[in-house]
Amino acid sequence: MSETIAITPAAPAHQPVSSTPYHRLGGAQGVRRLVDHFYDLMELEPQYSELRAMHPTHSEETREKLYLFLSGWLGGPDLYSPQYGHPRLRMRHFPYAIGTKERDDWMACMTQTLNEIEMEDDLRGQLHEAFAGTADWMRNKAEPGNMPAGNVVHG
């Protein structure tokens, strides 16, 4: 399975740029709003305290990296790779034990973000599905009866 998940259906070459999730979300400002809301929730809401504890003390760099990654992942400019190389999402997350609970906590925070950011309902559904698939792919902790896809680095 690929590390990135395409969230736009295959489209003819003449598909207008404005139909990408990046542009439908509002371009750079929309992606920044989504990222900031996500990390603000993680920092402010008690139910995300364990998720927050997995992240660096200062979230500015983490926020920026997610913003750069999502820009390209959503169909906008590839801002991440020129600075950091291929995203290699699973590899970069191997130091963190990500199991079902961590995946579910991350998705709960992202779902709340998607529900609280203004966007078209079909885009919200499309993003939720794509984030859920990626979050599941990030699991790397062996759990009884629920093995993650790909390599397991935490057992």
Side-chain angles (χ1 to χ4, degrees), residues 24 114-115 117-129:
R24 292 175 62 205
L114 293 173
N115 288 338
I117 296 290
E118 188 174 322
M119 69 182 77
E120 303 160 3
D121 287 341
D122 64 326
L123 177 60
R124 180 177 290 107
Q126 189 179 17
L127 293 177
H128 186 275
E129 184 178 332

Side-chain angles (χ1 to χ4, degrees), residues 99-149:
T100 303
K101 181 183 181 336
E102 293 78 16
R103 176 205 61 198
D104 291 350
D105 288 351
W106 191 93
M107 270 309 299
C109 190
M110 183 54 74
T111 298
Q112 185 175 346
T113 298
L114 293 173
N115 288 338
E116 293 178 0
I117 296 290
E118 188 174 322
M119 69 182 77
E120 303 160 3
D121 287 341
D122 64 326
L123 177 60
R124 180 177 290 107
Q126 189 179 17
L127 293 177
H128 186 275
E129 184 178 332
F131 281 127
T134 300
D136 193 56
W137 173 242
M138 299 303 290
R139 289 183 307 118
N140 60 20
K141 182 169 69 172
E143 298 171 305
N146 193 5
M147 293 299 290

Side-chain angles (χ1 to χ4, degrees), residues 14-121:
H14 65 275
Q15 178 185 19
V17 171
S18 62
S19 67
T20 66
Y22 175 84
H23 286 89
R24 292 175 62 205
L25 193 57
Q29 276 187 322
V31 174
R32 180 71 68 190
R33 185 172 46 251
L34 183 138
V35 168
D36 285 343
H37 195 83
F38 176 76
Y39 281 105
D40 289 349
L41 285 174
M42 197 186 302
E43 290 177 2
L44 298 172
E45 297 291 337
Q47 68 263 35
Y48 305 126
S49 62
E50 290 179 44
L51 178 63
R52 176 65 182 100
M54 293 179 73
H55 291 77
T57 305
H58 300 289
S59 67
E60 292 81 17
E61 183 178 351
T62 306
R63 285 176 189 244
E64 185 64 12
K65 284 183 176 180
L66 183 59
Y67 165 76
L68 296 173
F69 171 75
L70 288 180
S71 290
W73 192 68
L74 293 169
D78 179 13
L79 304 175
Y80 185 92
S81 298
Q83 287 187 11
Y84 300 103
H86 189 283
R88 291 179 171 63
L89 293 179
R90 287 196 91 222
M91 181 196 77
R92 293 182 196 270
H93 287 81
F94 276 166
Y96 309 99
I98 302 171
T100 303
K101 181 183 181 336
E102 293 78 16
R103 176 205 61 198
D104 291 350
D105 288 351
W106 191 93
M107 270 309 299
C109 190
M110 183 54 74
T111 298
Q112 185 175 346
T113 298
L114 293 173
N115 288 338
E116 293 178 0
I117 296 290
E118 188 174 322
M119 69 182 77
E120 303 160 3
D121 287 341

